[in-house]
Amino acid sequence: MRPIVTAKTDLPPIPPALSSVALIDAPTSAAAGGMSVSWWHDKVRLGEAPQPAVRQARCTRWRLADVLAFWQAFADKGQADTEAAALVTAKAKKASAAARVKRTAAAQGVGA
């Protein structure tokens, strides 16, 4: 007897042997990265996320392997962006400190 599935969250996990050929829908693809379905569809439309493997009326599916690769690359890019942001922040703090010293020197020169 098969288990009764009442909600999408009740679905059994995908067996590891089938993960390379498994197909998933947009809500599952978006949820894998904690994003909204509209965000996911925007990324697909812009060509930043993988294109669907199956696109039929009321049935659009992505390969699980493609979606996993997308989210891994997205996370790696986020890490690189974080490092770049840290460099920019360090340069900005240095420039701000230099400007503060310059303003202080100018203010003391004006008052003398």
Side-chain angles (χ1 to χ4, degrees), residues 3-85:
I4 297 172
V5 177
T6 58
K8 190 170 193 169
T9 57
D10 294 338
L11 294 174
I14 296 171
L18 296 177
S19 64
S20 63
V21 295
L23 298 175
I24 58 175
D25 59 4
T28 305
S29 299
M35 300 296 185
S36 69
V37 175
S38 60
W39 183 93
W40 176 255
H41 283 296
D42 284 344
K43 293 296 181 185
V44 170
R45 183 179 49 80
L46 295 171
E48 297 173 16
Q51 294 300 306
V54 176
R55 187 176 283 177
Q56 298 174 353
R58 301 183 57 83
C59 182
T60 303
R61 300 290 183 267
W62 285 261
R63 285 183 191 86
L64 176 60
D66 294 345
V67 173
L68 289 175
F70 167 78
W71 284 117
Q72 184 60 50
F74 188 82
D76 292 344
K77 182 180 180 287
Q79 180 64 31
D81 287 348
T82 301
E83 292 167 3

